[in-house]
Amino acid sequence: MKDYPNAKGFVVVFTCNHCPYAKAYQDRIIEIDQKYKAKGYPVVAINPNNPELVPEDSYAEMVTRAKEKGYTFPYLFDENQDVYRKYGQHEHLMYFCFKKKVMN
């Protein structure tokens, strides 16, 4: 998040490469990023899947997908599913919106 010092907050999206619903929403996620990044709320996408179980969700495949689709946001790999569990995630295409709290 330090890469976004002027962000007011973030839209965090859990998604992946293999799920047909996630594939169907890729363009929508790009649209959300383009719309809300300008308002100070960029998208951060996170793939929590285990590529040993779903090879299409490997980091290499994520890089390929991001380039092919022209992602305008970071697409991060949650290697041990730690972030996924902290958010209480059980499904993909879950969106979370966070506003930064300014500390004095």
Side-chain angles (χ1 to χ4, degrees), residues 7-46:
K8 296 176 185 176
F10 299 92
V11 178
V12 177
V13 180
F14 287 91
T15 189
C16 67
N17 289 352
H18 84 280
C19 172
Y21 295 105
K23 289 178 181 179
Y25 273 79
Q26 290 172 349
D27 291 335
R28 181 71 178 127
I29 296 169
I30 294 168
E31 290 171 9
I32 289 169
D33 182 57
Q34 291 171 343
K35 179 177 181 177
Y36 290 100
K37 184 187 300 181
K39 296 178 181 190
Y41 294 88
V43 164
V44 176
I46 301 173

mmCIF file of all heavy atoms in Angstrom, residues 7-46:
data_model
loop_
_atom_site.group_PDB
_atom_site.id
_atom_site.type_symbol
_atom_site.label_atom_id
_atom_site.label_comp_id
_atom_site.label_asym_id
_atom_site.label_seq_id
_atom_site.Cartn_x
_atom_site.Cartn_y
_atom_site.Cartn_z
ATOM 1 N N ALA A 7 -3.558 7.447 -2.039
ATOM 2 C CA ALA A 7 -4.834 6.724 -2.060
ATOM 3 C C ALA A 7 -5.636 7.052 -0.808
ATOM 4 O O ALA A 7 -5.093 7.183 0.285
ATOM 5 C CB ALA A 7 -4.595 5.219 -2.148
ATOM 6 N N LYS A 8 -6.927 7.186 -0.995
ATOM 7 C CA LYS A 8 -7.834 7.403 0.137
ATOM 8 C C LYS A 8 -8.223 6.070 0.763
ATOM 9 O O LYS A 8 -8.701 6.018 1.879
ATOM 10 C CB LYS A 8 -9.094 8.126 -0.346
ATOM 11 C CG LYS A 8 -8.829 9.512 -0.876
ATOM 12 C CD LYS A 8 -10.121 10.107 -1.411
ATOM 13 C CE LYS A 8 -9.885 11.452 -2.056
ATOM 14 N NZ LYS A 8 -11.119 11.977 -2.650
ATOM 15 N N GLY A 9 -8.054 5.012 -0.004
ATOM 16 C CA GLY A 9 -8.418 3.666 0.429
ATOM 17 C C GLY A 9 -8.175 2.703 -0.716
ATOM 18 O O GLY A 9 -7.481 3.050 -1.674
ATOM 19 N N PHE A 10 -8.769 1.533 -0.626
ATOM 20 C CA PHE A 10 -8.541 0.500 -1.631
ATOM 21 C C PHE A 10 -9.792 -0.338 -1.849
ATOM 22 O O PHE A 10 -10.595 -0.523 -0.930
ATOM 23 C CB PHE A 10 -7.393 -0.429 -1.207
ATOM 24 C CG PHE A 10 -6.099 0.303 -1.054
ATOM 25 C CD1 PHE A 10 -5.719 0.825 0.161
ATOM 26 C CD2 PHE A 10 -5.279 0.506 -2.148
ATOM 27 C CE1 PHE A 10 -4.542 1.533 0.304
ATOM 28 C CE2 PHE A 10 -4.099 1.214 -2.019
ATOM 29 C CZ PHE A 10 -3.729 1.728 -0.789
ATOM 30 N N VAL A 11 -9.917 -0.869 -3.054
ATOM 31 C CA VAL A 11 -10.911 -1.882 -3.366
ATOM 32 C C VAL A 11 -10.125 -3.181 -3.512
ATOM 33 O O VAL A 11 -9.313 -3.316 -4.427
ATOM 34 C CB VAL A 11 -11.677 -1.568 -4.668
ATOM 35 C CG1 VAL A 11 -12.669 -2.671 -4.988
ATOM 36 C CG2 VAL A 11 -12.358 -0.203 -4.583
ATOM 37 N N VAL A 12 -10.330 -4.108 -2.591
ATOM 38 C CA VAL A 12 -9.626 -5.382 -2.609
ATOM 39 C C VAL A 12 -10.565 -6.430 -3.195
ATOM 40 O O VAL A 12 -11.698 -6.582 -2.733
ATOM 41 C CB VAL A 12 -9.180 -5.799 -1.184
ATOM 42 C CG1 VAL A 12 -8.520 -7.169 -1.204
ATOM 43 C CG2 VAL A 12 -8.230 -4.760 -0.610
ATOM 44 N N VAL A 13 -10.083 -7.126 -4.219
ATOM 45 C CA VAL A 13 -10.884 -8.135 -4.913
ATOM 46 C C VAL A 13 -10.161 -9.474 -4.852
ATOM 47 O O VAL A 13 -8.992 -9.559 -5.220
ATOM 48 C CB VAL A 13 -11.090 -7.760 -6.398
ATOM 49 C CG1 VAL A 13 -11.927 -8.807 -7.106
ATOM 50 C CG2 VAL A 13 -11.698 -6.385 -6.538
ATOM 51 N N PHE A 14 -10.855 -10.496 -4.401
ATOM 52 C CA PHE A 14 -10.322 -11.851 -4.475
ATOM 53 C C PHE A 14 -10.845 -12.482 -5.751
ATOM 54 O O PHE A 14 -12.054 -12.543 -5.966
ATOM 55 C CB PHE A 14 -10.739 -12.671 -3.249
ATOM 56 C CG PHE A 14 -10.012 -12.266 -2.014
ATOM 57 C CD1 PHE A 14 -10.526 -11.298 -1.177
ATOM 58 C CD2 PHE A 14 -8.783 -12.834 -1.711
ATOM 59 C CE1 PHE A 14 -9.841 -10.900 -0.042
ATOM 60 C CE2 PHE A 14 -8.087 -12.437 -0.579
ATOM 61 C CZ PHE A 14 -8.623 -11.473 0.257
ATOM 62 N N THR A 15 -9.931 -12.915 -6.602
ATOM 63 C CA THR A 15 -10.287 -13.479 -7.896
ATOM 64 C C THR A 15 -9.262 -14.540 -8.267
ATOM 65 O O THR A 15 -8.374 -14.848 -7.475
ATOM 66 C CB THR A 15 -10.384 -12.367 -8.968
ATOM 67 O OG1 THR A 15 -10.921 -12.909 -10.163
ATOM 68 C CG2 THR A 15 -9.050 -11.700 -9.211
ATOM 69 N N CYS A 16 -9.393 -15.117 -9.438
ATOM 70 C CA CYS A 16 -8.438 -16.133 -9.882
ATOM 71 C C CYS A 16 -8.494 -16.249 -11.400
ATOM 72 O O CYS A 16 -9.245 -15.539 -12.050
ATOM 73 C CB CYS A 16 -8.748 -17.479 -9.222
ATOM 74 S SG CYS A 16 -10.308 -18.197 -9.753
ATOM 75 N N ASN A 17 -7.726 -17.161 -11.950
ATOM 76 C CA ASN A 17 -7.678 -17.358 -13.400
ATOM 77 C C ASN A 17 -8.673 -18.389 -13.907
ATOM 78 O O ASN A 17 -9.168 -18.271 -15.016
ATOM 79 C CB ASN A 17 -6.289 -17.824 -13.826
ATOM 80 C CG ASN A 17 -5.258 -16.739 -13.713
ATOM 81 O OD1 ASN A 17 -5.559 -15.592 -13.463
ATOM 82 N ND2 ASN A 17 -4.013 -17.121 -13.895
ATOM 83 N N HIS A 18 -8.926 -19.441 -13.141
ATOM 84 C CA HIS A 18 -9.635 -20.603 -13.684
ATOM 85 C C HIS A 18 -11.156 -20.529 -13.594
ATOM 86 O O HIS A 18 -11.853 -21.132 -14.394
ATOM 87 C CB HIS A 18 -9.158 -21.890 -12.996
ATOM 88 C CG HIS A 18 -9.847 -22.163 -11.711
ATOM 89 N ND1 HIS A 18 -9.491 -21.544 -10.532
ATOM 90 C CD2 HIS A 18 -10.891 -22.966 -11.427
ATOM 91 C CE1 HIS A 18 -10.277 -21.969 -9.568
ATOM 92 N NE2 HIS A 18 -11.139 -22.834 -10.086
ATOM 93 N N CYS A 19 -11.688 -19.813 -12.637
ATOM 94 C CA CYS A 19 -13.129 -19.798 -12.388
ATOM 95 C C CYS A 19 -13.876 -19.081 -13.513
ATOM 96 O O CYS A 19 -13.514 -17.957 -13.881
ATOM 97 C CB CYS A 19 -13.395 -19.097 -11.057
ATOM 98 S SG CYS A 19 -15.138 -18.792 -10.717
ATOM 99 N N PRO A 20 -14.912 -19.694 -14.063
ATOM 100 C CA PRO A 20 -15.645 -19.040 -15.156
ATOM 101 C C PRO A 20 -16.282 -17.716 -14.726
ATOM 102 O O PRO A 20 -16.377 -16.790 -15.518
ATOM 103 C CB PRO A 20 -16.709 -20.057 -15.567
ATOM 104 C CG PRO A 20 -16.608 -21.195 -14.629
ATOM 105 C CD PRO A 20 -15.409 -21.034 -13.781
ATOM 106 N N TYR A 21 -16.705 -17.607 -13.467
ATOM 107 C CA TYR A 21 -17.285 -16.356 -12.984
ATOM 108 C C TYR A 21 -16.205 -15.276 -12.898
ATOM 109 O O TYR A 21 -16.428 -14.126 -13.259
ATOM 110 C CB TYR A 21 -17.955 -16.549 -11.622
ATOM 111 C CG TYR A 21 -19.137 -17.464 -11.695
ATOM 112 C CD1 TYR A 21 -19.055 -18.773 -11.220
ATOM 113 C CD2 TYR A 21 -20.344 -17.043 -12.248
ATOM 114 C CE1 TYR A 21 -20.142 -19.628 -11.293
ATOM 115 C CE2 TYR A 21 -21.439 -17.890 -12.337
ATOM 116 C CZ TYR A 21 -21.327 -19.185 -11.848
ATOM 117 O OH TYR A 21 -22.402 -20.022 -11.923
ATOM 118 N N ALA A 22 -15.044 -15.647 -12.400
ATOM 119 C CA ALA A 22 -13.930 -14.701 -12.318
ATOM 120 C C ALA A 22 -13.523 -14.235 -13.715
ATOM 121 O O ALA A 22 -13.263 -13.047 -13.933
ATOM 122 C CB ALA A 22 -12.743 -15.336 -11.594
ATOM 123 N N LYS A 23 -13.485 -15.155 -14.663
ATOM 124 C CA LYS A 23 -13.157 -14.789 -16.047
ATOM 125 C C LYS A 23 -14.179 -13.812 -16.608
ATOM 126 O O LYS A 23 -13.828 -12.849 -17.293
ATOM 127 C CB LYS A 23 -13.091 -16.037 -16.929
ATOM 128 C CG LYS A 23 -11.888 -16.915 -16.671
ATOM 129 C CD LYS A 23 -11.938 -18.142 -17.566
ATOM 130 C CE LYS A 23 -10.779 -19.064 -17.324
ATOM 131 N NZ LYS A 23 -10.841 -20.266 -18.174
ATOM 132 N N ALA A 24 -15.446 -14.057 -16.305
ATOM 133 C CA ALA A 24 -16.514 -13.204 -16.819
ATOM 134 C C ALA A 24 -16.440 -11.792 -16.237
ATOM 135 O O ALA A 24 -16.897 -10.846 -16.878
ATOM 136 C CB ALA A 24 -17.873 -13.826 -16.508
ATOM 137 N N TYR A 25 -15.863 -11.639 -15.069
ATOM 138 C CA TYR A 25 -15.812 -10.345 -14.402
ATOM 139 C C TYR A 25 -14.502 -9.597 -14.588
ATOM 140 O O TYR A 25 -14.339 -8.498 -14.062
ATOM 141 C CB TYR A 25 -16.086 -10.517 -12.904
ATOM 142 C CG TYR A 25 -17.558 -10.487 -12.584
ATOM 143 C CD1 TYR A 25 -18.343 -11.600 -12.804
ATOM 144 C CD2 TYR A 25 -18.156 -9.334 -12.096
ATOM 145 C CE1 TYR A 25 -19.703 -11.580 -12.523
ATOM 146 C CE2 TYR A 25 -19.509 -9.303 -11.816
ATOM 147 C CZ TYR A 25 -20.281 -10.427 -12.032
ATOM 148 O OH TYR A 25 -21.617 -10.398 -11.770
ATOM 149 N N GLN A 26 -13.567 -10.133 -15.333
ATOM 150 C CA GLN A 26 -12.264 -9.474 -15.490
ATOM 151 C C GLN A 26 -12.387 -8.058 -16.033
ATOM 152 O O GLN A 26 -11.761 -7.135 -15.510
ATOM 153 C CB GLN A 26 -11.354 -10.307 -16.388
ATOM 154 C CG GLN A 26 -10.901 -11.573 -15.736
ATOM 155 C CD GLN A 26 -10.158 -12.467 -16.713
ATOM 156 O OE1 GLN A 26 -10.137 -12.253 -17.912
ATOM 157 N NE2 GLN A 26 -9.547 -13.498 -16.179
ATOM 158 N N ASP A 27 -13.169 -7.881 -17.066
ATOM 159 C CA ASP A 27 -13.325 -6.545 -17.643
ATOM 160 C C ASP A 27 -14.001 -5.605 -16.656
ATOM 161 O O ASP A 27 -13.682 -4.417 -16.600
ATOM 162 C CB ASP A 27 -14.104 -6.600 -18.953
ATOM 163 C CG ASP A 27 -13.320 -7.280 -20.067
ATOM 164 O OD1 ASP A 27 -12.073 -7.278 -20.009
ATOM 165 O OD2 ASP A 27 -13.960 -7.817 -20.989
ATOM 166 N N ARG A 28 -14.922 -6.126 -15.874
ATOM 167 C CA ARG A 28 -15.613 -5.301 -14.870
ATOM 168 C C ARG A 28 -14.631 -4.832 -13.794
ATOM 169 O O ARG A 28 -14.700 -3.682 -13.338
ATOM 170 C CB ARG A 28 -16.765 -6.093 -14.248
ATOM 171 C CG ARG A 28 -17.527 -5.313 -13.225
ATOM 172 C CD ARG A 28 -18.351 -4.199 -13.880
ATOM 173 N NE ARG A 28 -19.108 -3.513 -12.858
ATOM 174 C CZ ARG A 28 -19.081 -2.194 -12.689
ATOM 175 N NH1 ARG A 28 -18.383 -1.437 -13.480
ATOM 176 N NH2 ARG A 28 -19.774 -1.637 -11.745
ATOM 177 N N ILE A 29 -13.719 -5.696 -13.385
ATOM 178 C CA ILE A 29 -12.726 -5.311 -12.382
ATOM 179 C C ILE A 29 -11.841 -4.188 -12.933
ATOM 180 O O ILE A 29 -11.532 -3.232 -12.224
ATOM 181 C CB ILE A 29 -11.887 -6.524 -11.931
ATOM 182 C CG1 ILE A 29 -12.782 -7.557 -11.238
ATOM 183 C CG2 ILE A 29 -10.773 -6.095 -10.993
ATOM 184 C CD1 ILE A 29 -12.110 -8.901 -10.996
ATOM 185 N N ILE A 30 -11.480 -4.288 -14.204
ATOM 186 C CA ILE A 30 -10.689 -3.226 -14.847
ATOM 187 C C ILE A 30 -11.481 -1.917 -14.843
ATOM 188 O O ILE A 30 -10.953 -0.851 -14.526
ATOM 189 C CB ILE A 30 -10.271 -3.628 -16.269
ATOM 190 C CG1 ILE A 30 -9.298 -4.805 -16.222
ATOM 191 C CG2 ILE A 30 -9.649 -2.444 -17.014
ATOM 192 C CD1 ILE A 30 -9.045 -5.460 -17.571
ATOM 193 N N GLU A 31 -12.769 -1.991 -15.168
ATOM 194 C CA GLU A 31 -13.625 -0.799 -15.170
ATOM 195 C C GLU A 31 -13.724 -0.182 -13.775
ATOM 196 O O GLU A 31 -13.678 1.048 -13.625
ATOM 197 C CB GLU A 31 -15.025 -1.149 -15.671
ATOM 198 C CG GLU A 31 -15.092 -1.483 -17.138
ATOM 199 C CD GLU A 31 -16.453 -2.043 -17.541
ATOM 200 O OE1 GLU A 31 -17.401 -2.014 -16.720
ATOM 201 O OE2 GLU A 31 -16.563 -2.510 -18.684
ATOM 202 N N ILE A 32 -13.860 -1.028 -12.760
ATOM 203 C CA ILE A 32 -13.937 -0.532 -11.384
ATOM 204 C C ILE A 32 -12.640 0.180 -11.019
ATOM 205 O O ILE A 32 -12.661 1.255 -10.426
ATOM 206 C CB ILE A 32 -14.249 -1.685 -10.405
ATOM 207 C CG1 ILE A 32 -15.691 -2.143 -10.605
ATOM 208 C CG2 ILE A 32 -13.993 -1.278 -8.959
ATOM 209 C CD1 ILE A 32 -16.034 -3.434 -9.889
ATOM 210 N N ASP A 33 -11.514 -0.415 -11.391
ATOM 211 C CA ASP A 33 -10.236 0.222 -11.096
ATOM 212 C C ASP A 33 -10.126 1.566 -11.798
ATOM 213 O O ASP A 33 -9.730 2.565 -11.183
ATOM 214 C CB ASP A 33 -9.067 -0.674 -11.502
ATOM 215 C CG ASP A 33 -7.728 -0.057 -11.152
ATOM 216 O OD1 ASP A 33 -7.508 0.261 -9.962
ATOM 217 O OD2 ASP A 33 -6.905 0.119 -12.059
ATOM 218 N N GLN A 34 -10.473 1.617 -13.061
ATOM 219 C CA GLN A 34 -10.359 2.865 -13.811
ATOM 220 C C GLN A 34 -11.271 3.949 -13.230
ATOM 221 O O GLN A 34 -10.881 5.111 -13.143
ATOM 222 C CB GLN A 34 -10.665 2.628 -15.284
ATOM 223 C CG GLN A 34 -9.577 1.809 -15.955
ATOM 224 C CD GLN A 34 -9.935 1.354 -17.355
ATOM 225 O OE1 GLN A 34 -11.094 1.359 -17.755
ATOM 226 N NE2 GLN A 34 -8.936 0.937 -18.106
ATOM 227 N N LYS A 35 -12.449 3.568 -12.806
ATOM 228 C CA LYS A 35 -13.396 4.535 -12.259
ATOM 229 C C LYS A 35 -12.977 5.018 -10.868
ATOM 230 O O LYS A 35 -12.969 6.221 -10.589
ATOM 231 C CB LYS A 35 -14.792 3.925 -12.185
ATOM 232 C CG LYS A 35 -15.829 4.860 -11.619
ATOM 233 C CD LYS A 35 -17.206 4.239 -11.645
ATOM 234 C CE LYS A 35 -18.257 5.199 -11.090
ATOM 235 N NZ LYS A 35 -19.604 4.614 -11.178
ATOM 236 N N TYR A 36 -12.623 4.086 -9.999
ATOM 237 C CA TYR A 36 -12.388 4.459 -8.602
ATOM 238 C C TYR A 36 -10.943 4.832 -8.283
ATOM 239 O O TYR A 36 -10.699 5.528 -7.307
ATOM 240 C CB TYR A 36 -12.917 3.361 -7.677
ATOM 241 C CG TYR A 36 -14.416 3.341 -7.707
ATOM 242 C CD1 TYR A 36 -15.106 2.416 -8.473
ATOM 243 C CD2 TYR A 36 -15.150 4.303 -7.014
ATOM 244 C CE1 TYR A 36 -16.486 2.431 -8.537
ATOM 245 C CE2 TYR A 36 -16.524 4.327 -7.077
ATOM 246 C CZ TYR A 36 -17.196 3.386 -7.840
ATOM 247 O OH TYR A 36 -18.561 3.413 -7.911
ATOM 248 N N LYS A 37 -9.996 4.407 -9.119
ATOM 249 C CA LYS A 37 -8.612 4.845 -8.921
ATOM 250 C C LYS A 37 -8.547 6.369 -9.044
ATOM 251 O O LYS A 37 -7.864 7.032 -8.264
ATOM 252 C CB LYS A 37 -7.679 4.192 -9.942
ATOM 253 C CG LYS A 37 -6.209 4.531 -9.725
ATOM 254 C CD LYS A 37 -5.310 4.024 -10.843
ATOM 255 C CE LYS A 37 -5.377 2.541 -10.991
ATOM 256 N NZ LYS A 37 -4.515 1.994 -12.042
ATOM 257 N N ALA A 38 -9.289 6.910 -9.989
ATOM 258 C CA ALA A 38 -9.324 8.357 -10.187
ATOM 259 C C ALA A 38 -9.920 9.086 -8.987
ATOM 260 O O ALA A 38 -9.656 10.265 -8.774
ATOM 261 C CB ALA A 38 -10.117 8.691 -11.450
ATOM 262 N N LYS A 39 -10.698 8.378 -8.191
ATOM 263 C CA LYS A 39 -11.317 8.966 -6.994
ATOM 264 C C LYS A 39 -10.514 8.658 -5.731
ATOM 265 O O LYS A 39 -10.943 8.969 -4.633
ATOM 266 C CB LYS A 39 -12.740 8.449 -6.849
ATOM 267 C CG LYS A 39 -13.627 8.880 -8.000
ATOM 268 C CD LYS A 39 -15.008 8.320 -7.881
ATOM 269 C CE LYS A 39 -15.829 8.768 -9.094
ATOM 270 N NZ LYS A 39 -17.243 8.473 -8.946
ATOM 271 N N GLY A 40 -9.367 7.972 -5.918
ATOM 272 C CA GLY A 40 -8.493 7.679 -4.786
ATOM 273 C C GLY A 40 -8.639 6.283 -4.205
ATOM 274 O O GLY A 40 -8.084 6.000 -3.154
ATOM 275 N N TYR A 41 -9.362 5.401 -4.900
ATOM 276 C CA TYR A 41 -9.596 4.043 -4.414
ATOM 277 C C TYR A 41 -9.196 3.003 -5.476
ATOM 278 O O TYR A 41 -10.049 2.453 -6.163
ATOM 279 C CB TYR A 41 -11.062 3.855 -4.027
ATOM 280 C CG TYR A 41 -11.447 4.699 -2.840
ATOM 281 C CD1 TYR A 41 -11.899 6.005 -3.002
ATOM 282 C CD2 TYR A 41 -11.330 4.202 -1.557
ATOM 283 C CE1 TYR A 41 -12.222 6.790 -1.918
ATOM 284 C CE2 TYR A 41 -11.657 4.975 -0.462
ATOM 285 C CZ TYR A 41 -12.108 6.269 -0.648
ATOM 286 O OH TYR A 41 -12.420 7.037 0.437
ATOM 287 N N PRO A 42 -7.906 2.737 -5.625
ATOM 288 C CA PRO A 42 -7.475 1.757 -6.626
ATOM 289 C C PRO A 42 -7.822 0.323 -6.230
ATOM 290 O O PRO A 42 -7.986 0.014 -5.045
ATOM 291 C CB PRO A 42 -5.959 1.954 -6.662
ATOM 292 C CG PRO A 42 -5.620 2.469 -5.306
ATOM 293 C CD PRO A 42 -6.789 3.313 -4.878
ATOM 294 N N VAL A 43 -7.903 -0.521 -7.226
ATOM 295 C CA VAL A 43 -8.145 -1.954 -7.021
ATOM 296 C C VAL A 43 -6.830 -2.656 -6.723
ATOM 297 O O VAL A 43 -5.799 -2.342 -7.312
ATOM 298 C CB VAL A 43 -8.806 -2.584 -8.273
ATOM 299 C CG1 VAL A 43 -8.723 -4.104 -8.254
ATOM 300 C CG2 VAL A 43 -10.251 -2.139 -8.398
ATOM 301 N N VAL A 44 -6.894 -3.614 -5.819
ATOM 302 C CA VAL A 44 -5.823 -4.570 -5.580
ATOM 303 C C VAL A 44 -6.481 -5.948 -5.674
ATOM 304 O O VAL A 44 -7.376 -6.257 -4.893
ATOM 305 C CB VAL A 44 -5.175 -4.375 -4.191
ATOM 306 C CG1 VAL A 44 -4.132 -5.460 -3.943
ATOM 307 C CG2 VAL A 44 -4.564 -2.994 -4.067
ATOM 308 N N ALA A 45 -6.083 -6.737 -6.666
ATOM 309 C CA ALA A 45 -6.650 -8.071 -6.859
ATOM 310 C C ALA A 45 -5.725 -9.111 -6.234
ATOM 311 O O ALA A 45 -4.504 -8.993 -6.318
ATOM 312 C CB ALA A 45 -6.842 -8.356 -8.343
ATOM 313 N N ILE A 46 -6.335 -10.118 -5.610
ATOM 314 C CA ILE A 46 -5.569 -11.159 -4.930
ATOM 315 C C ILE A 46 -6.085 -12.531 -5.365
ATOM 316 O O ILE A 46 -7.281 -12.788 -5.316
ATOM 317 C CB ILE A 46 -5.686 -11.030 -3.398
ATOM 318 C CG1 ILE A 46 -5.185 -9.657 -2.945
ATOM 319 C CG2 ILE A 46 -4.921 -12.157 -2.701
ATOM 320 C CD1 ILE A 46 -5.425 -9.365 -1.470
#
